[in-house]
Amino acid sequence: MPPRFRPSPTPDTWPHCGDGSSPQGINGCLGIPVSGHTACLAHLTDPDRDAYLAGLSPGADIDHRGTPFTGLLLNALLNALSDPATGHPHLGAAAFDAATFEGFASFESATFEGIAEFGHATFEGGYVSFESATFKYNAEFGYTTFKHNVRFEYATFERDAEFGSTTFESLADFEGATFAGYASFESTTFKGLTDFRHATFEGTTAFEGATFEGYATFGSATFGVVRFGSAAFERHVEFRSVVFMGDAFFDYTTFKRDVEFESATFLCGAHFVYTTFMRNVQFESATFEGDAEFRSATFADTASVGPLVCTGRVRLSGAVFEGPATLSLATHLLECRRTRWSSTAEVRLRYATVDFAHAVFEYPLTIAAEPDPFVLANGQQMAEDPFASAPDPDVRMASLRGVDAAHLVLADIDLSGCLFVGTVHLDQLRLEGACTFDTSPPGVHWRRWPLVRFTERRALAEEHHWRAIQPGAVPGWNVAVLGAGRAGPLQLAPVYRALRKAFEDGKHEPGAADFYYAEMEMRRHADDIPRSERSLLTAYWALSGYGLRVSRALAWLAAAMLLTVVLLMAVGLPRDTPRQTAIGTVPAGGGKVTFEIDKDDPQNPTGSRFTGERLDKSLNITLNSVVFRSSGQDLTTAGTYIEMTSRLTEPVLLGLAVLAIRNRVKR
């Protein structure tokens, strides 16, 4: 817990300037009387004031709460406290609560050994300076009002600094200031230029509820833990080259104009939860060594997030992009669940795993893998030192569930682990470049009966999970698919169907063939089809792999032909070739002779049946059957039926083989 400041005392808690006859002091003065007197320093007689000042020495404690100071009076006080060795004011504990400073007020190079209290003070003059001042104990400026320029350049706060509810009506210059303890600017109002360039905040810093009405710059500042929760930046703000040593909280912050985080470094977590970016936001060359949280943030205008490096997670879940967006990220994980994209967007990634579940795209959105390091505006490549040990910069999609893919373009993305069930309009998904999917485990596997041979093909992660949990599953199917749930054939069949169409529209026929095969597999295993249809699909799968497995169809064709040849040799060819005979009767006395030509019935073979001659005839008959031709050979009754069967089955198997070849080579 950050230290808590004690409440600044209010004027009604101390005695007022005067002799006590007036509750408001002399002429309404609220100044506390100088010790031993009834009047404040401003209203002492000249001799008494001179005597008081002459009695001061460097390092003395002073109490001038509520006192009105002119420039001359303040100079006289500080001169009385000046260290002869340095010529600079040296104060012990200094109480200026509710004091009023008119004209020039300079505490330049002053040293405050004790607590410095300026709570509720008002600086009405033209110039206020605490430049190079040193606060060795707590400095309290809560509820102070600076009506003109104030400078804390290179001031040092060795303990806690309280500026809560302070009002800076003009320039607030803290360039090069050092805050060693807790620094509070909660509910502070900065109406003019605010300059924290090169400032160092070593402890926790709070800007929660602060309002920046003018331009604000924190360029090259260094923060420990910093909180900007619910702050409002009404003009341009710059965080260039800022180093955040601890967690940086910008939750519920509103940036009404441009905001720049170029080359900023976040060594711990960066939190922009529910932050609103009304105008352009830039994170070019920023580095996040922890998580970058943008959950439920709103990007109302152009967003340029990156190129940046994040060794943790970039979390954009629930974020809204109302304008064009360009995200260039080198990160381990990008979470974009339930994001809304209301304009065109491009997401270019390296090394990332991406989750876009239930995201909404109203305009085209491209997610692409960047093969080479990102190039910055100055033409230099962005350094990727945190990823030096990474094997490759590939980008992997984790989930597209619940997405309307009609406006989605994926380029060079690894989809092997992507969850697709629940995605709509997958048939309109555009896949560019080398988008890869997981594959089925190739090889021959014994699964009791029959022997199963898997040909390598594209397969979704959900199919891997489903097959891996089935009884008797062959090795190679991946069961460890995070979030796959209960998706089965009934849910996977339409997904494969839509992806098949997407590949066909992209003229990628081999890829479409893989998804057609998978679709048919899911249909065959689904629980909602009749047994007769499942039997038909099983036969189609066994004979030719749904018209896609050339070797299977050719193997069955060869087996059918071999069986036909064997059967013909065994029982189909007759023992001898039947001979024709002519029988006629010659009429008595001559005349026209009529002949009746007949042929012997083919006789079933006996003796040696598997001879070279019979093999030649059987092969001739079989080859003719493949191409729907009749051999014209004399056959036994059994042979006739064998030939009829072969003329029906073998051309079909040949056609399936030709179809499989076409599906594999078609473009």
Side-chain angles (χ1 to χ4, degrees):
M1 291 291 293
R4 301 180 67 89
F5 291 96
R6 66 176 178 81
S8 296
T10 55
D12 58 359
T13 64
W14 63 68
H16 298 161
C17 175
D19 57 4
S21 59
S22 170
Q24 297 298 323
I26 299 175
N27 297 324
C29 177
L30 303 180
I32 191 169
V34 174
S35 179
H37 300 274
T38 59
C40 71
L41 183 61
H43 293 105
L44 284 177
T45 62
D46 290 345
D48 289 340
R49 184 185 302 114
D50 293 341
Y52 168 75
L53 294 176
L56 296 177
S57 61
D61 296 338
I62 58 174
D63 185 357
H64 295 294
R65 287 171 285 173
T67 302
F69 283 92
T70 63
L72 292 176
L73 179 60
L74 179 61
N75 287 339
L77 175 63
L78 296 179
N79 287 334
L81 295 167
S82 293
D83 186 342
T86 62
H88 301 308
H90 189 174
L91 296 78
F96 290 98
D97 297 282
T100 302
F101 298 87
E102 298 178 358
F104 179 72
S106 175
F107 291 86
E108 290 185 14
S109 301
T111 299
F112 296 84
E113 291 285 350
I115 188 169
E117 300 179 272
F118 288 86
H120 298 277
T122 301
F123 292 83
E124 297 180 346
Y127 179 77
V128 181
S129 177
F130 286 87
E131 184 177 350
S132 300
T134 300
F135 299 86
K136 292 184 176 292
Y137 203 69
N138 292 352
E140 299 188 12
F141 288 86
Y143 297 94
T144 300
T145 300
F146 297 93
K147 293 190 175 181
H148 294 279
N149 296 349
V150 57
R151 295 183 181 275
F152 284 88
E153 293 175 288
Y154 302 100
T156 301
F157 299 84
E158 297 185 3
R159 296 290 292 274
D160 301 334
E162 166 66 22
F163 286 87
S165 300
T166 298
T167 299
F168 296 89
E169 296 190 359
S170 189
L171 169 69
D173 190 350
F174 288 86
E175 182 180 359
T178 299
F179 298 84
Y182 177 67
S184 173
F185 291 86
E186 295 179 73
S187 301
T188 298
T189 300
F190 300 87
K191 294 187 177 182
L193 172 64
T194 303
D195 188 352
F196 281 93
R197 288 176 298 164
H198 303 284
T200 300
F201 299 84
E202 298 177 2
T204 298
T205 306
F207 284 91
E208 293 169 313
T211 300
F212 297 81
E213 297 182 6
Y215 174 82
T217 176
F218 294 84
S220 300
T222 301
F223 288 95
V225 175
V226 61
R227 302 178 183 274
F228 282 91
S230 300
F233 294 87
E234 298 184 2
R235 299 291 297 275
H236 184 95
V237 57
E238 176 189 325
F239 288 91
R240 289 185 181 180
S241 302
V242 172
V243 177
F244 297 90
M245 305 289 291
D247 286 327
F249 295 91
F250 290 85
D251 301 342
Y252 296 93
T253 300
T254 300
F255 297 93
K256 293 186 178 181
R257 296 293 182 91
D258 295 352
V259 54
E260 302 177 24
F261 283 90
E262 284 91 341
S263 302
T265 301
F266 298 84
L267 299 181
C268 293
H271 307 268
F272 293 86
V273 180
Y274 286 100
T275 300
T276 300
F277 301 92
M278 300 296 293
R279 296 288 293 274
N280 186 34
V281 54
Q282 297 182 7
F283 282 87
E284 184 180 28
S285 196
T287 300
F288 296 81
E289 296 192 6
D291 290 347
E293 295 270 0
F294 290 88
R295 289 180 292 115
S296 300
T298 299
F299 298 83
D301 203 340
T302 304
S304 179
V305 182
L308 61 80
V309 172
C310 179
T311 58
R313 297 175 296 177
V314 177
R315 304 183 68 180
L316 286 163
S317 296
V320 177
F321 292 85
E322 298 178 357
T326 301
L327 280 63
S328 302
L329 314 173
T331 181
H332 287 299
L333 179 63
L334 173 62
E335 294 182 4
C336 290
R337 293 192 291 266
R338 301 179 306 282
T339 50
R340 178 177 292 275
W341 308 76
S342 300
S343 185
T344 56
E346 181 181 30
V347 182
R348 305 199 69 84
L349 302 167
R350 287 173 59 79
Y351 305 101
T353 297
V354 193
D355 186 351
F356 264 81
H358 305 286
V360 177
F361 316 122
E362 298 180 19
Y363 288 86
L365 182 142
T366 300
I367 304 173
E370 188 70 22
D372 301 312
F374 294 112
V375 178
L376 304 175
N378 60 9
Q380 300 295 318
Q381 286 188 339
M382 185 177 69
E384 297 179 341
D385 297 341
F387 296 96
S389 60
D392 55 62
D394 292 350
V395 177
R396 294 155 292 279
M397 183 66 68
S399 177
L400 286 174
R401 284 189 169 180
V403 168
D404 186 340
H407 298 292
L408 183 59
V409 180
L410 302 179
D412 301 312
I413 304 296
D414 181 355
L415 299 170
S416 60
C418 184
L419 304 180
F420 283 96
V421 173
T423 307
V424 299
H425 291 145
L426 263 176
D427 57 320
Q428 300 179 42
L429 174 67
R430 287 183 55 191
L431 301 174
E432 305 287 347
C435 288
T436 58
F437 290 82
D438 205 348
T439 58
S440 59
V444 178
H445 304 276
W446 285 100
R447 192 175 59 183
R448 295 183 181 178
W449 181 260
L451 183 69
V452 177
R453 178 180 182 273
F454 286 103
T455 301
E456 189 174 34
R457 61 170 173 84
R458 294 170 179 83
L460 298 185
E462 286 107 331
E463 183 185 353
H464 266 264
H465 178 76
W466 173 77
R467 286 190 180 273
I469 63 176
Q470 299 306 301
V474 301
W477 295 106
N478 181 18
V479 69
V481 179
L482 184 63
R486 297 178 178 273
L490 203 59
Q491 294 79 26
L492 286 169
V495 175
Y496 276 122
R497 187 179 307 119
L499 287 173
R500 171 175 61 84
K501 186 177 184 303
F503 270 66
E504 288 173 346
D505 292 343
K507 305 304 180 183
H508 191 338
E509 294 297 336
D514 279 352
F515 288 127
Y516 172 73
Y517 187 98
E519 176 194 351
M520 298 297 288
E521 278 286 271
M522 295 303 101
R523 285 181 56 193
R524 183 166 69 92
H525 290 287
D527 297 329
D528 66 335
I529 65 171
R531 181 176 299 180
S532 58
E533 182 178 344
R534 179 177 287 109
S535 299
L536 182 61
L537 290 175
T538 301
Y540 192 22
W541 162 76
L543 291 175
S544 64
Y546 310 111
L548 294 171
R549 297 295 181 255
V550 181
S551 58
R552 193 177 305 180
L554 291 177
W556 279 107
L557 176 60
M561 293 174 65
L562 178 61
L563 179 62
T564 301
V565 169
V566 172
L567 290 176
L568 287 174
M569 293 177 66
V571 297
L573 294 177
R575 181 181 57 190
D576 298 308
T577 301
R579 298 180 180 181
Q580 292 182 335
T581 58
I583 301 174
T585 302
V586 179
K592 184 177 181 181
V593 179
T594 301
F595 290 93
E596 180 180 333
I597 299 176
D598 198 4
K599 181 188 291 187
D600 296 336
D601 291 334
Q603 301 298 312
N604 289 325
T606 58
S608 179
R609 305 182 185 187
F610 297 95
T611 63
E613 181 182 358
R614 293 176 65 83
L615 173 63
D616 181 63
K617 290 182 179 181
S618 298
L619 185 59
N620 183 36
I621 296 170
T622 302
L623 291 176
N624 278 282
S625 297
V626 172
V627 292
F628 285 103
R629 292 184 58 191
S630 175
S631 63
Q633 294 279 352
D634 292 312
L635 302 173
T636 65
T637 302
T640 302
Y641 285 107
I642 293 171
E643 184 185 35
M644 291 171 59
T645 302
S646 67
R647 290 181 63 187
L648 175 64
T649 59
E650 291 167 7
V652 172
L653 294 173
L654 178 62
L656 290 175
V658 173
L659 178 63
I661 295 173
R662 177 181 179 276
N663 287 333
R664 283 300 175 185
V665 302
K666 186 174 67 172
R667 288 293 185 269

